[in-house]
Amino acid sequence: MVCSSKSGLPAWLSAASRMDFDGAANVSRSDASSTASSLSSSVVNRGASEDSKMGFGERSLSAAGAAVLSAILVNPLDVAKTRLQAQAAGAHYHQPQQDFGRRFASLGPNTMLSEFRCSPSCNRGGIFGAEAVCPPDCFQYKGTLDVFYKVIRQEGIARLWRGTNAGLALAIPTVGIYLPCYDIFRNWIEDFTTHNAPGLTPYAPLVAGSVARSLACVVCSPIELARTRMQAFKVWNGANAPGIWKTLLGVLSPVKRTNESLNNYRLLWTGAGAQLARDVPFSAICWSTLEPIRRNLLALIGEEANAANVLGANFSAGFVAGSLAAAATCPLDVAKTRRQIEKDPSKALRMTTRQTLAEVWRDGGAKGLFTGVGPRVARAGPSVGIVVSFYEVVKYFLHQSHSSD
C-alpha cells in the first residue's frame, strides 16, 4: 500500500476516501519535510472541495437509481428470508383443514387447488376426504431454495417479486436520505476531527452511518412494515394481493373504531425500535468495514481510475461489508420481522425488542435467532455492493461533467 502516494488516488475521491492514505504516508515517512506535509494537506482540502460541489439533489439522484436496481434484483431473496422468519414465528402457509371439504365440494372433485397441493407431482396427498390433499408439512419451508421452489409451484414465479413495489417505495426515500446524509455527515465529521481531534477521524464512517441510517429508518418505517407483511403472508382463494396502502389500512382496521387515534397510528411504526436496533449497528459495521477495503482497492487503481475500476472496487468492498454486517445483525432482523407480522394490535404495541429476542431464544435457541441468515446474507452482500458501486459511479460521471465545465 505504501506504493500509493498522495498523487496515486483518483482526484475525484472525497476527502474521506483519501485521508487514510495521506495519513499512512505521513506516518511511514516521519522524517519527511514540512513541504511534503503541506502538500498532503492541500490534496485533502482540494478533494473535500471537489466532493462538496455535488449537491444533495445529485447525491439523492445517484442513490435512488442504485436503490431501484438493487430492490428489483434481490427481492426474491428478501421474500425467502421473510417467509422463513415468519414461519418460525408461527405463520401458516397451508389452508386450514376445515376449509377443504367445503371448497372441494363446491368446485368439484377434479379441481386442482394449489392451496391443497404442494405440487402436481406430490405423491403424499390423500385422494378425497376430510383432510387436505397434501399434509401440512408439505407446505413447510425447509430452506432458501425450498422457498423458491414452493412459491413458484404454488403461487407462480411473480410471487418472488411480491413487495417489490413497497421495496421501491421504501428504497428510493430510504437510500435517497441515507447515502447523501452519510456522505455529508462523514465529510463534516472528518473535516472537524482532522483539525481538532485527529485520533477520532477513523470513527467518522461509523458515526455518520449510524446517524444517517437512524433518520432514514424513522421516516420510512411504515413502508417497511407494509413490505414485510406483503412478503410474509400468503394470499388465499385466488384473491388479489393487497398493495401498500391496503396493507397499511389493514394494520389500522382492527382498532379503527376506538377513540385512541394517536395509539392507532403508532401501529404504523410497529417494529421501528427493532428496525433501528438492527440498522444502526448494521450501518456501523458496514461502513467501518467498507471504507478501509474500498480505500485499499482504489489506492491500487491510482489516478488512472475509470468507471469499470471504480465499479469493481466499490462492489467488492460493499459485498464483503454487507455480508458481514447482515450476518452479525440477523437476530435483530428476526425480532423485527416477528414484531411486524403480529396481528394483535394490543400485543404489537406492548412488544419490545428485548422481549421478542428472549421469546425467540426460548423457542428456538441460537438457531431461532439466526433463522433466514442464508438468504439475508445472500441478499445484503450484492445489495450493498450494487447500491454503493452504482452510487459512486454516478458520482464519478457527475464529477467528470463538473470538471469539463
Side-chain angles (χ1 to χ4, degrees), residues 35-335:
T35 304
S37 299
S38 301
L39 178 59
S40 174
S41 300
S42 66
V43 170
V44 171
N45 291 335
R46 185 173 69 251
S49 174
E50 289 172 345
D51 187 62
S52 65
K53 289 179 182 178
M54 286 189 64
F56 186 87
E58 290 174 320
R59 296 177 195 271
S60 297
L61 179 63
S62 304
V68 170
L69 182 62
S70 173
I72 293 172
L73 292 179
V74 302
N75 197 78
L77 288 165
D78 209 32
V79 170
K81 177 213 63 158
T82 304
R83 290 275 177 113
L84 288 170
Q85 292 178 348
Q87 177 180 265
H92 297 292
Y93 293 104
H94 60 87
Q95 277 277 33
Q97 292 187 3
Q98 59 267 27
D99 290 349
F100 174 73
R102 183 178 68 253
R103 288 203 54 202
F104 202 85
S106 63
L107 295 176
N110 296 321
T111 303
M112 178 63 68
L113 301 175
S114 63
E115 290 93 338
F116 302 110
R117 289 294 296 271
C118 63
S119 75
S121 59
C122 180
N123 57 8
R124 299 186 59 204
I127 299 173
F128 191 83
E131 294 189 10
V133 174
C134 282
D137 60 300
C138 276
F139 295 88
Q140 294 292 308
Y141 299 128
K142 300 174 178 65
T144 305
L145 294 179
D146 195 46
V147 174
F148 291 158
Y149 175 77
K150 288 178 177 174
V151 168
I152 292 171
R153 279 284 197 178
Q154 299 165 20
E155 304 173 59
I157 193 169
R159 288 298 185 198
L160 290 177
W161 276 267
R162 177 78 179 125
T164 300
N165 56 343
L168 292 174
L170 174 70
I172 293 174
T174 297
V175 182
I177 295 169
Y178 178 35
L179 286 182
C181 286
Y182 168 76
D183 249 0
I184 292 168
F185 292 160
R186 184 197 61 194
N187 288 340
W188 285 348
I189 294 170
E190 287 192 335
D191 284 344
F192 178 81
T193 56
T194 299
H195 296 98
N196 297 282
L200 299 178
T201 301
Y203 299 100
L206 186 150
V207 177
S210 300
V211 175
R213 191 65 187 179
S214 298
L215 289 174
C217 282
V218 171
V219 171
C220 301
S221 185
I223 307 176
E224 173 69 20
L225 172 65
R227 182 178 68 163
T228 300
R229 290 198 168 209
M230 291 167 71
Q231 292 176 342
F233 298 125
K234 191 174 181 178
V235 179
W236 300 106
N237 304 334
N240 292 328
I244 302 173
W245 182 246
K246 192 171 181 180
T247 300
L248 292 176
L249 288 178
V251 173
L252 297 175
S253 60
V255 288
K256 64 184 179 181
R257 293 185 177 87
T258 68
N259 294 324
E260 299 179 7
S261 58
L262 182 60
N263 282 337
N264 295 351
Y265 286 107
R266 278 177 54 204
L267 286 169
L268 296 178
W269 275 264
T270 299
Q275 187 180 349
L276 280 170
R278 177 198 68 176
D279 287 356
V280 171
F282 179 96
S283 293
I285 295 168
C286 182
W287 288 112
S288 58
T289 305
L290 184 148
E291 291 287 2
I293 297 174
R294 175 164 65 179
R295 292 169 189 174
N296 286 338
L297 293 174
L298 290 171
L300 291 174
I301 297 170
E303 191 66 40
E304 301 303 319
N306 55 36
N309 292 335
V310 172
L311 179 72
N314 280 280
F315 181 83
S316 300
F319 186 94
V320 172
S323 299
L324 291 174
T329 57
C330 186
L332 293 161
D333 187 59
V334 171

Side-chain angles (χ1 to χ4, degrees), residues 298-371:
L298 290 171
L300 291 174
I301 297 170
E303 191 66 40
E304 301 303 319
N306 55 36
N309 292 335
V310 172
L311 179 72
N314 280 280
F315 181 83
S316 300
F319 186 94
V320 172
S323 299
L324 291 174
T329 57
C330 186
L332 293 161
D333 187 59
V334 171
K336 180 198 77 75
T337 300
R338 186 164 291 206
R339 290 190 63 187
Q340 291 186 329
I341 65 172
E342 176 56 55
K343 291 188 174 183
D344 182 350
S346 60
K347 185 177 179 181
L349 289 173
R350 291 195 311 268
M351 291 172 72
T352 66
T353 302
R354 183 177 178 180
Q355 291 171 345
T356 306
L357 288 172
E359 180 182 315
V360 174
W361 173 262
R362 186 176 61 250
D363 294 343
K367 184 178 179 181
L369 290 174
F370 286 89
T371 301

